């Protein structure tokens, strides 16, 4: 019995995709930059899930397909003191924002992330985000928005 469990676990570890391991390492690096105020992960559809936290806990969750984010639009806004991400298409609303305190969900064309305290101009964070988006945009699977039907 113990041998079957051990063999099963060994097979799962060997057959697990290498890509998933590298994605988690890249995301761990991004999460380390934000020091817990922002936590990023990939869901089962390979969409980027961004959880934002404040003193009272998680207050917002943004979900976006990595291929929908334009790496060229990632910039620092001094006025907002935030890192801004934008959609590939100017008219698109690729970010699904869920605001937990107001119990609302809306689609927007941009995502603002608080600037990490250690990154004064946001340049290190911007570089890490661009590298992640560029690496995963090609492999991300597009998902239908809630209003679209399969043909």
């Amino acid at each position: 019995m113990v041998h079957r469990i051990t063999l099963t676990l060994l097979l799962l570890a060997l057959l697990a995709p290498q890509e998933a391991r590298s994605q988690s390492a890249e995301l761990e690096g991004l999460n380390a930059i934000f020091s817990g105020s922002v936590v990023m992960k990939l869901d089962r559809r390979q969409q980027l899930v961004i959880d934002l936290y404040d003193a009272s806990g998680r207050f917002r969750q943004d979900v976006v397909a990595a291929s929908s984010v334009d790496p060229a639009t990632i910039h620092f806004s001094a006025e907002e003191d935030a890192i801004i991400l934008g959609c590939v298409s100017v008219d698109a609303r690729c970010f699904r924002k869920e605001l937990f305190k107001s119990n609302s969900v809306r689609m927007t064309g941009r995502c603002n992330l608080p600037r990490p305290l250690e990154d004064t101009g946001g340049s290190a964070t911007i570089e890490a985000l661009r590298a992640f988006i560029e690496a995963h945009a090609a492999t991300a699977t597009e998902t239908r928005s809630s209003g679209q039907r399969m043909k």
Side-chain angles (χ1 to χ4, degrees):
M1 181 68 170
V2 173
H3 294 293
R4 280 188 180 164
I5 294 172
T6 306
L7 182 59
T8 304
L9 292 175
L10 180 63
L11 284 174
L12 286 173
L14 292 174
L15 298 176
Q18 293 293 330
E19 186 177 325
R21 291 185 189 135
S22 66
Q23 288 174 358
S24 64
E26 292 170 352
L27 286 174
E28 285 176 11
L30 273 171
N31 290 335
I33 291 172
F34 283 104
S35 304
S37 63
V38 175
V39 176
M40 298 182 187
K41 61 187 173 198
L42 290 173
D43 68 4
R44 62 186 167 97
R45 295 181 180 157
Q46 297 301 302
Q47 295 181 107
L48 181 61
V49 178
I50 307 168
D51 290 318
L52 289 93
Y53 293 86
D54 62 7
S56 62
R58 185 173 68 161
F59 68 91
R60 190 177 93 204
Q61 183 178 70
D62 296 354
V63 179
V64 65
S67 60
S68 296
V69 179
D70 185 1
T73 64
I74 301 173
H75 67 280
F76 175 71
S77 169
E79 182 179 320
E80 297 177 69
D81 194 27
I83 308 294
I84 310 298
L85 288 78
C87 300
V88 172
S89 173
V90 178
D91 298 329
R93 293 183 174 175
C94 63
F95 291 94
R96 184 181 148 271
K97 288 187 179 189
E98 184 172 358
L99 303 166
F100 298 111
K101 292 180 182 177
S102 63
N103 197 24
S104 64
V105 177
R106 61 185 169 164
M107 299 299 290
T108 64
R110 64 192 293 260
C111 172
N112 59 333
L113 304 175
R115 178 188 55 82
L117 297 175
E118 298 81 26
D119 193 6
T120 308
S123 59
T125 306
I126 291 169
E127 284 181 35
L129 282 167
R130 281 185 181 150
F132 177 79
I133 294 299
E134 288 170 352
H136 295 287
T139 60
T141 57
E142 292 292 330
T143 58
R144 295 182 316 276
S145 65
S146 59
Q148 295 178 330
R149 294 177 50 114
M150 288 181 62
K151 293 182 181 179

